[in-house]
């Protein structure tokens, strides 16, 4: 995961190890719904709040502010929008099963 994030330019050169670890933790949180091979209950998940809290902690407590590259930012927005739509609809989707052929 670290190598992939580095390859897309996610880490700035001034990042300290604690900040890098916090970013990796956020990405692991975001991938939580891929870790289970069962329907993910978007409507009852606290994932969005936990990601928001982790992002706030990184930017405020760890003094890390780095805009991801444009491609990564657009991907974040698309995935975030799909997540919020699924949450509003109360969807229950086995995301891992849906993406299995691409993983």
């Amino acid at each position: 995961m670290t190598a992939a994030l580095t390859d897309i330019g996610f880490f700035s050169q001034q990042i300290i190890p604690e900040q890098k670890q916090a970013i990796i933790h956020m990405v692991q949180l975001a991938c939580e719904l891929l870790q289970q091979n069962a329907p993910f209950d978007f409507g009852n998940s606290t994932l969005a709040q936990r990601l928001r809290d982790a992002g706030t902690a990184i930017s405020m407590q760890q003094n890390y502010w780095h805009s991801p590259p444009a491609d990564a930012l657009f991907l974040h927005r698309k995935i975030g929008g799909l997540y919020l739509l699924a949450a509003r609809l109360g969807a229950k989707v086995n995301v891992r099963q849906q993406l299995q052929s691409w993983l």
Side-chain angles (χ1 to χ4, degrees):
M1 187 177 300
T2 303
L5 290 168
T6 301
D7 287 348
I8 65 171
F10 211 89
F11 297 126
S12 65
Q13 293 188 0
Q14 358 8 343
I15 192 169
I16 61 173
E18 292 82 8
Q19 294 167 335
K20 183 181 273 190
Q21 195 57 39
I23 295 292
I24 291 168
H25 173 70
M26 277 191 67
V27 173
Q28 288 171 331
L29 273 177
C31 292
E32 179 179 281
L33 53 99
L34 296 173
Q35 301 303 315
Q36 63 185 39
N37 193 13
F40 184 83
D41 187 351
F42 285 89
N44 290 313
S45 174
T46 61
L47 182 58
Q49 292 84 8
R50 289 182 286 138
L51 282 168
R52 182 195 64 221
D53 293 345
T56 300
I58 290 170
S59 64
M60 298 298 187
Q61 297 168 1
Q62 296 189 16
N63 200 25
Y64 178 70
W65 185 256
H66 169 68
S67 294
D71 291 345
L73 189 58
F74 291 136
L75 184 60
H76 288 178
R77 290 191 64 188
K78 293 295 180 191
I79 292 171
L82 286 171
Y83 179 92
L84 293 173
L85 176 62
R88 179 169 293 243
L89 294 173
K92 295 178 183 173
V93 179
N94 186 331
V95 178
R96 182 182 183 121
Q97 183 180 41
Q98 295 295 317
L99 297 176
Q100 191 64 44
S101 63
W102 290 283
L103 299 176

